[in-house]
């Protein structure tokens, strides 16, 4: 009889291995210069194995961001009891998101992802409003309207869009920098100004 637990664990290991090899290749050669065949060859797996775990090359990024979104949920749950108002939670959460992106993804990978997202129409994850990160941001804004800590906004949706575009812009700007500035430090003035504008 086949041990399903061992089979599942092996499948997860294979998926993670393929993802790590692919991301390393994307960093080194650029997303568009790496084929599925190259990923399969370098990861010493089969094409069938690749497509069993990833429906497309671009879905490798999707998996990575879905993992990150799960982490954002945990981060937010940890932050909630520490900050009495939604405005304070919003500021702390934005800082935590930037910190998490730098720690878990790194500048080089984010540069690759941004380049691929701009070039390819396959990458819709950044604009998917049902992403868990974006749901959390809208929830915090709604909570801030209810507890009266967030004011002077036209609507949750408009401010949420401004916030997301600002965060994406900071990440993009960070990726353009050739220095070792931390993403969170680069984003602090922007987040502070946004928070001041809605007090």
């Amino acid at each position: 009889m086949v041990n399903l637990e061992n089979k599942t664990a092996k499948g997860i290991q294979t998926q993670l291995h393929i993802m790590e090899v692919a991301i390393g290749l994307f960093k080194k050669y650029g997303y568009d210069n790496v084929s599925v065949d190259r990923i399969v060859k370098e990861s010493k797996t089969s094409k069938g194995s690749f497509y069993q775990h990833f429906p497309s090359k671009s879905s490798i990024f999707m998996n990575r961001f879905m993992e990150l979104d799960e982490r954002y949920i945990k981060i937010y749950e940890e932050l909630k009891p520490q900050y009495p108002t939604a405005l304070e939670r919003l500021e702390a959460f934005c800082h935590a998101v930037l910190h998490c992106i730098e720690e878990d993804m790194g500048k080089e990978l984010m540069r690759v992802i941004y380049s691929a997202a701009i070039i390819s129409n396959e990458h819709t994850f950044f604009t998917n409003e049902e992403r868990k990160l974006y749901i959390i941001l809208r929830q915090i804004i709604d909570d801030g309207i209810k507890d009266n800590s967030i004011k002077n906004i036209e609507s949750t949706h408009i401010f949420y869009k401004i916030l997301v575009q600002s965060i994406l812009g900071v990440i993009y700007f960070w990726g353009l920098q050739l220095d070792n500035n931390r993403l969170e430090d680069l984003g602090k003035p922007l987040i502070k100004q946004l928070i001041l504008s809605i007090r």
Side-chain angles (χ1 to χ4, degrees):
M1 183 170 194
V2 176
N3 185 334
L4 289 177
E5 194 173 297
N6 286 344
K7 193 173 180 183
T8 303
K10 188 171 172 35
I12 291 168
Q13 282 181 324
T14 302
Q15 182 182 38
L16 291 173
H17 174 67
I18 293 170
M19 186 166 62
E20 292 306 316
V21 168
I23 287 169
L25 290 169
F26 297 155
K27 285 181 184 179
K28 189 171 184 178
Y29 300 108
Y31 177 80
D32 286 328
N33 297 321
V34 176
S35 65
V36 169
D37 287 333
R38 178 81 184 266
I39 295 167
V40 167
K41 181 181 176 187
E42 296 289 329
S43 65
K44 295 175 176 57
T45 56
S46 68
K47 216 169 195 175
S49 182
F50 178 90
Y51 285 113
Q52 182 180 351
H53 297 290
F54 302 101
S56 66
K57 183 172 80 166
S58 66
S59 66
I60 292 169
F61 291 143
M62 175 74 93
N63 275 26
R64 194 66 182 251
F65 274 101
M66 285 168 58
E67 288 174 5
L68 209 52
D69 273 15
E70 291 303 320
R71 185 150 177 232
Y72 294 146
I73 293 169
K74 290 177 187 166
I75 288 169
Y76 183 59
E77 291 304 318
E78 290 169 7
L79 287 175
K80 271 167 87 172
Q82 297 176 41
Y83 298 94
T85 69
L87 184 67
E88 293 170 309
R89 287 194 297 276
L90 181 62
E91 185 172 9
F93 184 67
C94 287
H95 286 292
V97 165
L98 295 180
H99 178 79
C100 193
I101 288 169
E102 183 167 8
E103 292 297 312
D104 288 13
M105 303 297 271
K107 184 186 277 192
E108 287 308 311
L109 180 57
M110 289 307 298
R111 289 169 85 165
V112 169
I113 292 169
Y114 265 62
S115 297
I118 290 167
I119 293 167
S120 170
N121 290 329
E122 294 177 61
H123 303 281
T124 58
F125 198 62
F126 286 126
T127 56
N128 180 355
E129 292 196 6
E130 295 309 308
R131 236 186 112 181
K132 291 176 184 175
L133 168 63
Y134 298 160
I135 291 169
I136 293 169
L137 289 172
R138 287 194 301 271
Q139 182 61 55
I140 298 171
I141 296 165
D142 282 341
D143 291 347
I145 292 168
K146 289 176 191 159
D147 74 11
N148 207 29
S149 63
I150 294 179
K151 305 168 187 170
N152 305 318
I153 64 169
E154 193 172 333
S155 71
T156 295
H157 187 73
I158 289 172
F159 184 69
Y160 143 78
K161 286 281 201 183
I162 291 167
L163 187 59
V164 168
Q165 290 169 17
S166 298
I167 291 170
L168 291 175
V170 166
I171 297 166
Y172 182 77
F173 186 72
W174 172 65
L176 294 174
Q177 303 302 303
L178 300 176
D179 55 30
N180 291 323
N181 282 335
R182 292 180 58 241
L183 176 58
E184 188 179 354
D185 292 339
L186 199 61
K188 274 182 186 176
L190 175 70
I191 293 169
K192 182 178 181 182
Q193 195 58 49
L194 284 170
I195 295 300
L196 286 173
S197 74
I198 58 170
R199 281 188 190 276

